[in-house]
Amino acid sequence: MADIALSLWLKLQPHLTELIACAIAALVAQAVAALRRWTGIQIDQRHADRLSAAINRAVGLALERQLGRPRARELVVSYLRETVPEALAAVQPSDEALMLRIDASLAEARR
């Protein structure tokens, strides 16, 4: 029995290094994929936060200028395009979603 185990060990031994290297490569690939997902989420969240903050700043400007809803919307959209174009491009909100968000911020700020 010991001879069989020794024989098996001697046949597998040269390939163990390759098996271990493959296992390590698989683990590294999984770690890299997880890191990419995590950083992608972080980047998306950062863009969303910047967009939200810019909307709030622009709403504040619109209220200071005592603009009505249509003109306030225009001011906010132009402010966003001017100050956070990369966040707009990354988040890509639909026009409807953006207007709903602006209207909600305007309503909240006017309370």
Side-chain angles (χ1 to χ4, degrees):
M1 185 67 146
D3 291 338
I4 294 173
L6 181 60
S7 175
L8 187 59
W9 173 253
L10 291 174
K11 288 183 181 186
L12 289 177
Q13 189 177 9
H15 303 289
L16 284 179
T17 305
E18 294 172 16
L19 289 172
I20 292 171
C22 286
I24 291 172
L27 289 173
V28 169
Q30 285 182 338
V32 168
L35 180 63
R36 283 187 183 152
R37 281 191 304 272
W38 181 76
T39 56
I41 290 169
Q42 295 301 316
I43 290 169
D44 290 345
Q45 184 61 48
R46 190 172 10 177
H47 285 304
D49 291 347
R50 290 186 71 214
L51 188 59
S52 182
I55 288 171
N56 292 335
R57 285 191 304 272
V59 163
L61 289 172
L63 292 179
E64 283 177 15
R65 296 177 187 178
Q66 298 178 344
L67 301 177
R69 182 174 157 214
R71 295 205 53 223
R73 282 174 145 189
E74 290 174 14
L75 177 114
V76 173
V77 170
S78 64
Y79 183 86
L80 296 176
R81 287 183 180 144
E82 187 176 310
T83 60
V84 289
E86 68 287 342
L88 272 174
V91 175
Q92 295 181 346
S94 67
D95 290 341
E96 183 180 338
L98 187 58
M99 290 306 139
L100 286 172
R101 174 65 170 84
I102 291 169
D103 289 345
S105 293
L106 283 166
E108 186 176 320
R110 285 187 172 137
R111 283 189 219 175

